């Protein structure tokens, strides 16, 4: 029973942070978002252990910096370098902050994004178009509005100021996941139109981290129904292979 609980916890954290990584980046990148959310407030709200915040906060800040870089190749290099630094940071503090294994599993989706075998595509078209298309899809799918709504909720405000729970925060992502399920097809269609094959390859690379969640669930099939009961229905597409495949196939 104890072992099963540990597996459930890891899966929940992994599923949660898969949503969180996108949520974090889109919080800073969304055009027109009026709520000024600091990284510290965000990590408070999600219930990150205080001893892990040093590693997590730096990762989030530098992921944002990377994604505001128009050069896709350089952005990818920064993301992967910062992930390596995060792993090293968590390992260095493992004796005083015993969350290294959980958070390494949680963020390992980034590792799949950084695979040396299949590097992110890098072309002038992507450099010129990705940032603009991201802004267009943010606006069309209402991501900025949903981000505002989340941080206007009384419970989230309190958690952001003091400390929160990843599971309570996840409960508040229902509408955000609706917008997110709009965002992926929007990016797929626009990148296909603007950059053709390069756009297709970029989407495939972007979706990769979510397949690591599917692989973990495949190893523990009995846990999937428990996860589905805890995660908002609108977020279930993040661990549905057919849906993820539809985002990356033309």
């Amino acid at each position: 029973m104890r072992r099963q609980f540990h597996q459930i916890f890891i899966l929940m954290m992994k599923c949660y942070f898969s949503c969180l990584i996108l949520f974090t980046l889109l919080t800073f990148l969304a055009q027109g978002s009026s709520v000024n959310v600091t990284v510290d407030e965000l990590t408070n709200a999600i219930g990150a252990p205080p001893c892990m915040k040093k590693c997590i906060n730096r990762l989030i800040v530098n992921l944002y910096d990377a994604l505001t870089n128009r050069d896709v190749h350089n952005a990818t290099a920064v993301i992967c370098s910062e992930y390596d630094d995060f792993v090293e940071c968590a390992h260095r503090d493992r004796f005083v902050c015993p969350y290294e294994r959980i958070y390494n599993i949680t963020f390992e989706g980034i590792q799949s994004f950084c695979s040396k075998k299949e590097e992110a595509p890098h072309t002038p078209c992507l450099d010129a178009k990705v940032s603009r298309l991201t802004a267009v899809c943010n606006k069309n799918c209402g991501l900025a509005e949903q981000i505002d709504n989340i941080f206007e909720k009384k419970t989230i405000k309190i958690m952001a100021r003091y400390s929160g729970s990843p599971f309570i925060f996840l409960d508040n992502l229902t509408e955000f996941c609706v917008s997110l399920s709009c965002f992926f097809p929007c990016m797929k269609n626009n990148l296909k139109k603007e950059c053709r094959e390069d756009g297709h390859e970029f989407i495939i690379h972007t979706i990769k981290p979510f397949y690591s969640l599917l692989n973990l669930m495949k190893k523990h099939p009995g846990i999937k129904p428990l996860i589905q009961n805890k995660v908002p229905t609108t977020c279930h597409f993040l661990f549905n292979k057919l849906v993820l495949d539809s985002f990356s196939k033309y």
Side-chain angles (χ1 to χ4, degrees), residues 66-67 69-76 79 113 118-123 125-127 129-131 133-134 183-184 187-188 190-192 195-209 247-248 250:
L67 291 181
N69 188 328
R70 285 185 175 273
D71 188 310
V72 173
H73 181 72
N74 287 346
T76 301
I79 289 171
F113 180 83
E118 299 179 49
E119 294 186 353
H122 170 235
T123 67
C125 181
L126 291 172
D127 287 345
K129 303 291 179 64
V130 166
S131 180
L133 294 179
T134 298
F183 177 83
F184 279 129
M187 284 296 290
K188 168 188 170 179
N190 280 291
L191 281 171
K192 176 185 177 183
C195 296
R196 300 190 179 277
E197 286 300 317
D198 294 329
H200 181 202
E201 291 300 319
F202 184 81
I203 284 292
I204 290 174
H205 210 76
T206 303
I207 295 295
K208 272 185 178 182
F247 291 152
S248 58
Y250 291 144

Side-chain angles (χ1 to χ4, degrees), residues 190-246:
N190 280 291
L191 281 171
K192 176 185 177 183
K193 180 180 178 181
E194 299 279 351
C195 296
R196 300 190 179 277
E197 286 300 317
D198 294 329
H200 181 202
E201 291 300 319
F202 184 81
I203 284 292
I204 290 174
H205 210 76
T206 303
I207 295 295
K208 272 185 178 182
F210 295 97
Y211 282 96
S212 66
L213 174 61
L214 288 175
N215 292 336
L216 192 59
M217 285 187 166
K218 189 175 181 180
K219 293 179 182 178
H220 308 283
I223 298 177
K224 185 174 180 178
L226 300 176
I227 300 299
Q228 289 177 323
N229 289 335
K230 295 290 185 180
V231 176
T233 304
T234 56
C235 301
H236 285 189
F237 75 93
L238 290 172
F239 46 87
N240 185 314
K241 187 176 186 301
L242 291 177
V243 176
L244 292 179
D245 285 348
S246 73

Side-chain angles (χ1 to χ4, degrees), residues 53-236:
K53 288 180 69 174
K54 175 181 68 176
C55 302
I56 294 174
N57 285 15
R58 175 179 169 176
L59 177 65
I60 291 173
V61 168
N62 288 312
L63 285 179
Y64 163 68
D65 289 342
L67 291 181
T68 56
N69 188 328
R70 285 185 175 273
D71 188 310
V72 173
H73 181 72
N74 287 346
T76 301
V78 171
I79 289 171
C80 298
S81 174
E82 290 303 326
Y83 171 74
D84 289 341
D85 287 347
F86 168 79
V87 172
E88 183 180 338
C89 179
H91 181 71
R92 185 171 56 247
D93 295 343
R94 66 191 183 282
F95 296 117
V96 294
C97 192
Y99 299 98
E100 178 190 15
R101 182 168 179 266
I102 290 176
Y103 279 86
N104 280 348
I105 292 174
T106 296
F107 285 104
E108 72 178 356
I110 299 179
Q111 188 175 30
S112 67
F113 180 83
C114 297
S115 170
K116 298 294 184 182
K117 296 179 180 178
E118 299 179 49
E119 294 186 353
H122 170 235
T123 67
C125 181
L126 291 172
D127 287 345
K129 303 291 179 64
V130 166
S131 180
R132 178 177 62 81
L133 294 179
T134 298
V136 168
C137 291
N138 277 340
K139 184 176 180 179
N140 290 348
C141 296
L143 282 172
E145 181 182 353
Q146 294 307 329
I147 291 167
D148 284 347
N149 290 343
I150 289 171
F151 280 91
E152 284 297 330
K153 294 180 179 180
K154 184 177 180 180
T155 300
I156 301 299
K157 282 184 175 181
I158 294 172
M159 294 199 306
R161 184 174 181 180
Y162 300 104
S163 182
S165 159
F167 308 118
I168 294 176
F169 194 91
L170 184 60
D171 284 340
N172 285 273
L173 294 186
T174 298
E175 291 80 10
F176 175 77
C177 283
V178 172
S179 293
L180 197 57
S181 66
C182 161
F183 177 83
F184 279 129
C186 178
M187 284 296 290
K188 168 188 170 179
N189 293 333
N190 280 291
L191 281 171
K192 176 185 177 183
K193 180 180 178 181
E194 299 279 351
C195 296
R196 300 190 179 277
E197 286 300 317
D198 294 329
H200 181 202
E201 291 300 319
F202 184 81
I203 284 292
I204 290 174
H205 210 76
T206 303
I207 295 295
K208 272 185 178 182
F210 295 97
Y211 282 96
S212 66
L213 174 61
L214 288 175
N215 292 336
L216 192 59
M217 285 187 166
K218 189 175 181 180
K219 293 179 182 178
H220 308 283
I223 298 177
K224 185 174 180 178
L226 300 176
I227 300 299
Q228 289 177 323
N229 289 335
K230 295 290 185 180
V231 176
T233 304
T234 56
C235 301
H236 285 189

